Amino acid sequence: MISGGDTSFRKLNTINRRMFIISAAKVVVFTGIVARLFSLQINENKKYLTLSDKNRLREWKLPPERGEFLDFFGNTIAGNLKVYQLHVVPEQVEDFKYLMIRLKDILEIDDKQFSKIIKKKEKQKPWETLVVSENLSWDQFSKVNFYLHELGGAKPVLSVARSYPHKENFTHVLGYVAQASESDLANSEIIRKNHVPGLRVGKIGLEKAFENDLIGSNGIQRYEVNAYGKRINQIDYLEGKKGKNLRLTIDTEVQKLANELLVGKSGSISVMDIYTGDVIAMHSSPSFDPNLFLYGISHKDWQDIRENPLKPLINKTVAGLYSPGSTIKPLVALSALENDVISPKFIVRCTGKMEMYGQTYHCWKKKGHGFMNLRDAIKQSCDTYFYEAARKLGVDRLNKTGLKFGLGEKVFGKTFIDEKKGLVPSTQWKKDNLGFGWVLGETLITGIGQGYIQTTPLQLCLMTAQLANGGYKIYPRIRVEKNQDTAEQIKAKMIKTAIEKKENENSTISPIRRAQDFLNIGQKEHTVLYRNSENIKFVLEAMWGSTNEVRGTSFGSRIDDKKYQFAGKTGTSQVKKISERHRELELKAKDVPYEERDHALYIAFGPYKNPRYALSIIVEHGGSGSTTAAPMAKKLFKLIIDRHEEREKIIKQNLTIS
Amino acid sequence: MFQRRTITNQLTFFQKLRSFDFILMGCIFIIGIISCYSMYSTDGGELLYHSKSHIVRFFVFFVMMIVLSFFNVKFWHSTGYLFYIIVLGFLIWASFYGITASGSQRWINLYFINLQPSELMKIAIIVCFAKYYHRTQVSDVNSFKNLLLPIAILIIPIVLVISQPDLGTSILIALSGLVVLWLAGLNIKYFIYSSLIFIISMPFVIAFLEPYQKLRILTFFNPDKDPLGAGYQIIQSKIAIGSGGLTGKGFLRGTQSYLDFLPEKHTDFIFTLFSEEHGFTGSLLLLILYAIMIFRILRIGALTRSYFAKLYCFSFASAIFIYIAVNMSMVLGLLPIVGSPLPIMSYGGSSMLATMIGFSIVMSAKIYNKQVIS
């Protein structure tokens, strides 16, 4: 028995009272726990749900598939090749160092490359794929597969990479791709958005210009991963979009011929449709194989390209600046005619040289051409005649005509980042840029395309095209897009503008017409570039003479068949001022050091009866235009005109499809 | 006839069975079933090692509890000190010959089971104190002489457990002991003084803590400081519970647990797993089950006649509540992480054994509630 009822009662009293206090405390704590549960699970549920998803879901971006380049006939000229690559996800590898050393051994990676890979790994997040090798040879691939059971974490995968099947043929048109650099990422949002380690982006040429169309978009694989980063299962797979395939206006056959013609030479060939402005071929020589750049070019290859004296890295078609030489003469003649400075009947006597302002100006023909009218002067490329014509014309009027026909201005604008503007001098230009007043003697040499005047081969081609189409502005294009005007539509527009021009000459411009002009801003108008179409016709006819008549400078390269007959103008531009002594010696081209030889130029259009194509050829230090450049035009026109029908077929097909 | 038997304490088996607290037993059983199937979930929906051994243990110990319930409460009273001394002996044994696992020497090998004596001490200390205060007069409770022995009884196992080292269990033993002392009528001033001393000595105690224990306390105050290191457990546990929402992610669908983001999901964080899969509703249900359980124990304590049984029941109910509260506060990020299992739910044989012994004493107090202990 519990001794003493009183103590027993007090004991019970104490325990009950204290139990009550504890129970009250328990209720408080219990409520606290429930409240906490409520706040976590109900109030903050969304926040923690997101956190839990962030824990368990991880996205892997897949490299986007790059759009392809097709030529006009739909042949792939820049495609995607399937390649074997070796990927490692560092996070999933037990012993990364060991794996890498084994791989180094198996793949025979050299030390330099190896340290590069290690560096790359340190920059990435541990779950991001590390590309150990971008292009395994079949040998390496089978070796890796053989040892795969020992290489936990290494994954040989099939991937796509750029390939340029025509190698050096399209290098300067397409440019090339290489791994995206810091500056690529900084400058382009779309690259940043789609970037995955090892992504290739365009570095130059059309690959760069059309990056936004070509790049496509990432595929996304969403995996559930466990706490150790191991993929448990795939939750989601969003297929990426392949970049747009871009069709170009270029004809691979013509492009290839251009390449062949210029093999071993430094120069450029451009061919253009005189109505649509379609660039049929555009080649700069020497070229190089863009495939070399895909996986990082080797030091030796890079040295070879960079140190080649013929400068393969320069896209001479748009970035090479040359004195146009005599190829400018048709334009000078046109300008003089348009400004009524001379008439076709204007005669100059060429004695081989001409004294003016205390200087002697020589004609290329030492003995002189004798009495020359304008047609003969163009045909025989008489320098003396053009000295005189230029003197009468003045450089500023020539400047205006030059600008009108597309000289001194980028042909493609922003498409080729390395494109140059060239220069058509004027008195104002000299004052502003050189600070000196214009000297009249400079007008004379500008008249034969020497001196300050500088053009790119593509500008010369455009100029020729705009002469050949009868003097209408055209807009060169290299990419085939939907709803582009066909040659017929453009021709019709040109005729319409010509008629309107005539009407306008007879009456003052009506307010309605002005309003129409206003509305048409932004539309590509094929403005009339001449004052009198007879002048254009005259110049074209003279160019025909130059090629197809005896004593014409390119008579040797003529084609008699009317189907292929073309008209052109040669040019030989001096690189160095010819000294008196040299003139006496009458040195042959091969006796002069390479760097001092003249550039050979040729511009032409054809077929003469019904012109459609224009071209320009430049061979650096190639000697004279008539011996080096003009024969190339002959071969080119044969092919171009043979391919014309096929081209038309394609256009018709596309029309019926759309 | 019937009446007399009751008075003479000669109960028939059926009478004993009838006075059994079926509600309490039901609660224990349901929580046990919940724990079994939560364990099944921690094994990723397969009957693997943890779930199998947990299920076996639960049923063995549950049966054991029912059998032990028929022991007269007098038995527990008479063996109170012995129980304590045996467990203390185990503790000393553990500190010399114990099995070391994850840096702590907690277990002793009894051949059929690896026993963690510190878990048993949680119950033994209550039984021991209940017996001690059963005889002590109220006036004597606060005398200096009667204070010294209980303090010694309390301090010795705590020191032994801390030196294992096992901070969590030692805190729980201390709290269990203090609850009994409080209920026995120890003057409130001693609690105030001792807590003052505790607060003052805190910095010195912390200086003696193991580095990982210090880190845990620091982490509690700022878990985001080192989210992948020391703060990882708290953060992941909160994410798991929080993402459960109202109804949870569903059985076997707790992503935090099956993808291994959740640490210690079998033991200390079993509630986290349950809460992630069954949400606020499930958690509340479990809490209510625990609440009913505790209420039933308190009720038995209130109805029982002997002071020993009453003190035991009240103390045990409070101790169980403390275990639950500490564990849940910990996984909810309200307390620093200290190793403390959730009664019945958590994986662990010793904890289960201790809890079941504790319940069997309560049961026997119910059956023998008229028993008078001299």
Side-chain angles (χ1 to χ4, degrees):
Chain A
M1 272 305 287
I2 300 164
S3 52
D6 185 39
T7 35
S8 164
F9 175 76
R10 269 179 61 198
K11 245 176 146 178
L12 286 176
N13 200 18
T14 309
I15 194 170
N16 285 336
R17 199 180 61 235
R18 293 203 166 184
M19 192 60 235
F20 181 76
I21 296 170
I22 290 184
S23 300
K26 280 181 193 170
V27 172
V28 172
V29 173
F30 185 86
T31 317
I33 288 173
V34 173
R36 174 69 168 179
L37 262 175
F38 188 86
S39 100
L40 285 181
Q41 297 197 296
I42 310 295
N43 287 350
E44 296 188 287
N45 175 242
K46 262 204 186 126
K47 171 185 152 193
Y48 286 110
L49 211 55
T50 326
L51 284 173
S52 131
D53 280 347
K54 233 165 126 187
N55 260 346
R56 75 188 177 100
L57 298 176
R58 214 169 273 173
E59 280 183 359
W60 272 267
K61 271 196 198 169
L62 304 175
E65 194 181 355
R66 204 171 173 78
E68 294 176 17
F69 276 110
L70 309 173
D71 76 350
F72 189 79
F73 300 92
N75 306 309
T76 306
I77 52 177
N80 296 318
L81 207 64
K82 289 205 158 53
V83 289
Y84 296 105
Q85 298 190 328
L86 190 70
H87 291 181
V88 171
V89 180
E91 194 183 57
Q92 296 169 4
V93 182
E94 259 174 56
D95 188 348
F96 184 76
K97 249 189 194 155
Y98 168 79
L99 176 71
M100 288 312 290
I101 288 165
R102 281 301 310 270
L103 285 176
K104 180 176 187 263
D105 205 38
I106 291 168
L107 301 178
E108 290 158 17
I109 304 171
D110 60 45
D111 291 333
K112 231 178 174 179
Q113 192 70 25
F114 187 71
S115 61
K116 239 191 217 168
I117 296 168
I118 299 294
K119 245 184 230 164
K120 211 161 65 180
K121 184 229 165 188
E122 276 152 20
K123 272 191 210 158
Q124 292 182 182
K125 298 208 171 80
W127 61 81
E128 279 179 342
T129 307
L130 176 71
V131 183
V132 175
S133 171
E134 280 155 350
N135 190 15
L136 289 173
S137 64
W138 176 246
D139 222 35
Q140 289 172 319
F141 181 70
S142 42
K143 231 171 162 183
V144 167
N145 276 316
F146 183 75
Y147 289 114
L148 202 57
H149 60 281
E150 301 170 23
L151 304 170
K155 274 178 279 182
V157 293
L158 196 62
S159 181
V160 287
R162 202 58 152 173
S163 80
Y164 300 102
H166 294 286
K167 292 189 176 167
E168 75 274 15
N169 274 308
F170 288 96
T171 308
H172 290 113
V173 180
L174 299 177
Y176 54 84
V177 295
Q179 207 153 14
S181 66
E182 297 285 329
S183 65
D184 288 327
L185 286 169
N187 294 332
S188 163
E189 198 187 332
I190 196 159
I191 293 177
R192 239 176 296 144
K193 215 182 94 199
N194 290 287
H195 186 254
V196 292
L199 179 74
R200 300 295 190 274
V201 297
K203 291 288 175 179
I204 200 165
L206 298 184
E207 290 270 29
K208 187 175 175 73
F210 298 136
E211 182 68 55
N212 294 0
D213 289 329
L214 289 165
I215 192 163
S217 64
N218 294 121
I220 289 174
Q221 274 177 318
R222 202 170 284 140
Y223 278 97
E224 191 169 61
V225 295
N226 70 9
Y228 317 108
K230 194 177 173 224
R231 300 180 192 192
I232 303 297
N233 51 40
Q234 187 171 311
I235 302 281
D236 224 354
Y237 174 66
L238 296 170
E239 212 170 328
K241 254 197 198 148
K242 189 185 170 179
K244 266 190 211 156
N245 283 354
L246 301 185
R247 204 173 123 218
L248 302 185
T249 56
I250 297 207
D251 182 342
T252 306
E253 294 302 314
V254 182
Q255 181 80 12
K256 268 187 181 166
L257 178 64
N259 181 38
E260 272 166 40
L261 291 172
L262 289 174
V263 162
K265 299 185 178 81
S266 172
S268 155
I269 288 176
S270 345
V271 182
M272 196 183 278
D273 186 309
I274 63 170
Y275 293 108
T276 61
D278 284 356
V279 175
I280 312 293
M282 185 176 141
H283 185 69
S284 170
S285 179
S287 186
F288 55 89
D289 186 353
N291 293 307
L292 292 174
F293 285 83
L294 293 179
Y295 309 109
I297 189 165
S298 77
H299 186 67
K300 192 192 159 293
D301 287 338
W302 176 237
Q303 285 292 337
D304 283 353
I305 292 173
R306 217 179 49 175
E307 282 166 14
N308 188 333
L310 303 183
K311 298 196 169 106
L313 285 174
I314 296 174
N315 184 1
K316 299 184 177 92
T317 319
V318 293
L321 289 176
Y322 303 91
S323 304
S326 304
T327 55
I328 200 76
K329 283 174 184 165
L331 196 77
V332 177
L334 179 71
S335 183
L337 288 172
E338 291 273 286
N339 289 299
D340 289 326
V341 173
I342 54 171
S343 79
K345 286 171 190 140
F346 179 70
I347 286 173
V348 171
R349 182 167 170 248
C350 172
T351 57
K353 58 184 173 187
M354 172 181 182
E355 300 275 340
M356 210 171 277
Y357 318 119
Q359 280 259 350
T360 312
Y361 296 90
H362 295 271
C363 182
W364 64 270
K365 199 170 178 185
K366 223 182 144 194
K367 289 178 202 154
H369 290 95
F371 288 99
M372 291 268 112
N373 63 15
L374 181 54
R375 188 174 181 279
D376 286 334
I378 293 173
K379 180 177 139 187
Q380 298 182 36
S381 197
C382 174
D383 290 340
T384 313
Y385 190 97
F386 280 94
Y387 292 141
E388 184 59 22
R391 192 183 65 78
K392 291 185 119 183
L393 176 64
V395 72
D396 287 332
R397 284 192 278 200
L398 178 59
N399 168 276
K400 269 186 195 149
T401 314
L403 290 179
K404 242 198 234 173
F405 278 83
L407 305 184
E409 198 185 319
K410 286 184 182 178
V411 174
F412 275 116
K414 286 176 183 161
T415 306
F416 292 93
I417 48 167
D418 48 348
E419 182 166 7
K420 296 240 163 70
K421 263 170 79 170
L423 174 68
V424 193
S426 66
T427 51
Q428 191 62 40
W429 166 82
K430 194 179 173 192
K431 216 183 271 168
D432 291 349
N433 290 277
L434 301 179
F436 302 110
W438 187 264
V439 181
L440 274 172
E442 288 164 354
T443 308
L444 302 198
I445 56 169
T446 306
I448 61 159
Q450 298 285 154
Y452 295 118
I453 187 164
Q454 285 201 304
T455 57
T456 67
L458 195 63
Q459 282 173 340
L460 287 180
C461 186
L462 176 63
M463 177 191 85
T464 315
Q466 290 182 149
L467 283 171
N469 67 22
Y472 300 91
K473 187 161 181 57
I474 58 167
Y475 300 88
R477 57 196 198 192
I478 196 159
R479 179 177 168 185
V480 179
E481 280 171 289
K482 266 188 188 163
N483 305 323
Q484 276 181 336
D485 287 340
T486 62
E488 278 68 31
Q489 286 167 323
I490 290 168
K491 256 189 227 174
K493 277 187 188 172
M494 285 173 177
I495 291 164
K496 206 178 133 206
T497 47
I499 291 165
E500 278 169 3
K501 179 180 156 32
K502 247 180 210 159
E503 283 170 357
N504 288 341
E505 273 162 12
N506 299 336
S507 63
T508 49
I509 301 163
S510 70
I512 296 166
R513 168 79 185 124
R514 247 188 237 157
Q516 273 174 351
D517 274 350
F518 185 72
L519 288 173
N520 286 341
I521 285 174
Q523 244 194 29
K524 287 181 174 177
E525 271 196 83
H526 299 279
T527 359
V528 174
L529 301 173
Y530 54 82
R531 197 170 59 82
N532 183 351
S533 62
E534 291 305 315
N535 294 334
I536 301 264
K537 275 184 197 147
F538 176 82
V539 170
L540 295 181
E541 204 277 329
M543 283 172 78
W544 179 84
S546 172
T547 308
N548 297 293
E549 283 178 6
V550 187
R551 287 214 204 100
T553 46
S554 52
F555 181 64
S557 306
R558 76 194 177 281
I559 306 174
D560 287 329
D561 186 344
K562 284 273 189 294
K563 188 183 168 195
Y564 301 105
Q565 197 172 57
F566 63 94
K569 179 74 197 78
T570 57
T572 307
S573 84
Q574 277 169 237
V575 178
K576 208 185 161 207
K577 199 174 177 206
I578 303 172
S579 67
E580 283 306 313
R581 206 173 60 83
H582 272 139
R583 209 175 284 281
E584 296 298 317
L585 288 170
E586 274 193 55
L587 288 171
K588 286 271 181 274
K590 59 181 175 189
D591 303 326
V592 183
Y594 176 79
E595 299 81 48
E596 292 177 14
R597 288 180 207 165
D598 296 337
H599 292 327
L601 292 91
Y602 194 63
I603 58 170
F605 62 91
Y608 180 72
K609 274 279 158 203
N610 192 9
R612 187 64 197 266
Y613 300 102
L615 58 75
S616 76
I617 300 167
I618 286 185
V619 183
E620 280 186 14
H621 311 293
S624 81
S626 54
T627 54
T628 312
M632 293 180 180
K634 184 177 175 180
K635 287 182 187 163
L636 280 165
F637 268 115
K638 270 230 161 101
L639 183 69
I640 295 164
I641 289 160
D642 277 338
R643 309 244 335 139
H644 175 72
E645 270 169 39
E646 295 211 30
R647 220 179 153 79
E648 290 293 298
K649 241 188 249 166
I650 295 281
I651 292 167
K652 257 179 218 148
Q653 266 176 27
N654 287 347
L655 277 181
T656 49
I657 288 165
S658 59
Chain B
M1 184 73 184
F2 198 77
Q3 282 289 317
R4 263 184 52 205
R5 281 207 171 189
T6 323
I7 289 161
T8 53
N9 299 320
Q10 299 290 310
L11 301 173
T12 63
F13 177 71
F14 286 105
Q15 279 175 315
K16 285 179 186 173
L17 206 58
R18 268 182 54 189
S19 51
F20 217 81
D21 191 330
F22 288 102
I23 296 180
L24 176 58
M25 202 184 73
C27 282
I28 295 167
F29 190 74
I30 294 169
I31 295 172
I33 296 298
I34 291 175
S35 85
C36 286
Y37 102 116
S38 291
M39 212 53 72
Y40 179 70
S41 173
T42 66
D43 275 347
E46 282 176 89
L47 270 179
L48 297 181
Y49 176 75
H50 285 111
S51 35
K52 265 190 209 158
S53 62
H54 186 78
I55 290 167
V56 169
R57 276 175 195 164
F58 172 69
F59 282 101
V60 168
F61 291 141
F62 188 74
V63 171
M64 180 204 77
M65 179 203 81
I66 291 168
V67 172
L68 284 182
S69 301
F70 292 100
F71 280 46
N72 194 319
V73 73
K74 244 170 136 180
F75 166 79
W76 294 109
H77 177 256
S78 55
T79 55
Y81 291 146
L82 186 66
F83 186 26
Y84 174 78
I85 287 163
I86 289 170
V87 176
L88 195 65
F90 283 154
L91 267 180
I92 293 165
W93 185 6
S95 67
F96 285 109
Y97 307 107
I99 301 163
T100 308
S102 49
S104 172
Q105 197 171 10
R106 292 182 194 175
W107 292 272
I108 53 171
N109 187 355
L110 291 183
Y111 298 103
F112 63 95
I113 185 173
N114 278 346
L115 193 71
Q116 190 186 340
S118 53
E119 287 291 339
L120 286 177
M121 187 47 93
K122 287 182 191 168
I123 302 300
I125 197 115
I126 299 173
V127 179
C128 178
F129 274 156
K131 172 160 181 168
Y132 182 81
Y133 285 108
H134 177 65
R135 294 253 187 131
T136 316
Q137 304 291 324
V138 172
S139 49
D140 293 341
V141 167
N142 289 309
S143 72
F144 185 68
K145 192 193 89 188
N146 276 330
L147 213 56
L148 221 54
L149 189 62
I151 288 176
I153 289 173
L154 189 56
I155 294 288
I156 294 167
I158 290 174
V159 169
L160 283 170
V161 175
I162 283 189
S163 65
Q164 282 178 348
D166 184 353
L167 186 65
T169 314
S170 64
I171 288 173
L172 292 180
I173 293 171
L175 288 174
S176 312
L178 287 173
V179 162
V180 195
L181 291 180
W182 164 262
L183 288 169
L186 204 64
N187 197 318
I188 200 158
K189 69 185 179 196
Y190 291 119
F191 288 95
I192 295 169
Y193 291 159
S194 56
S195 44
L196 275 178
I197 291 167
F198 177 72
I199 290 166
I200 293 164
S201 65
M202 240 346 224
F204 303 100
V205 174
I206 286 175
F208 283 104
L209 287 177
E210 295 285 323
Y212 83 93
Q213 290 167 333
K214 274 189 239 174
L215 198 62
R216 277 182 180 178
I217 292 168
L218 288 176
T219 306
F220 166 69
F221 291 108
N222 186 8
D224 296 320
K225 199 177 122 197
D226 184 11
L228 289 176
Y232 185 79
Q233 293 183 324
I234 293 182
I235 292 173
Q236 294 302 338
S237 175
K238 274 162 76 180
I239 291 175
I241 293 173
S243 62
L246 182 64
T247 54
K249 294 178 181 168
F251 183 50
L252 300 180
R253 295 229 188 94
T255 53
Q256 284 285 97
S257 61
Y258 88 77
L259 296 172
D260 286 339
F261 290 103
L262 202 59
E264 314 267 343
K265 55 185 174 184
H266 306 101
T267 54
D268 293 359
F269 289 89
I270 188 83
F271 177 71
T272 309
L273 171 129
F274 180 79
S275 191
E276 185 189 14
E277 293 190 344
H278 302 285
F280 184 67
T281 328
S283 309
L284 200 62
L285 223 81
L286 187 68
L287 278 172
I288 288 169
L289 277 172
Y290 274 122
I292 295 172
M293 195 177 84
I294 289 163
F295 175 75
R296 291 307 292 189
I297 302 170
L298 288 176
R299 188 170 167 274
I300 292 167
L303 293 177
T304 197
R305 228 187 210 182
S306 68
Y307 184 77
F308 168 79
K310 196 185 280 291
L311 184 55
Y312 174 80
C313 287
F314 285 174
S315 305
F316 181 68
S318 305
I320 285 277
F321 180 82
I322 289 168
Y323 306 154
I324 295 166
V326 166
N327 178 278
M328 290 199 175
S329 309
M330 182 180 89
V331 302
L332 287 168
L334 294 170
L335 279 181
I337 304 282
V338 286
S340 70
L342 186 62
I344 311 174
M345 286 287 284
S346 283
Y347 179 81
S350 309
S351 162
M352 181 77 86
L353 176 66
T355 314
M356 289 303 183
I357 290 175
F359 280 123
S360 67
I361 301 174
V362 174
M363 288 293 189
S364 113
K366 172 77 181 15
I367 296 168
Y368 298 96
N369 63 359
K370 301 285 191 298
Q371 179 70 45
V372 175
I373 300 166
S374 62

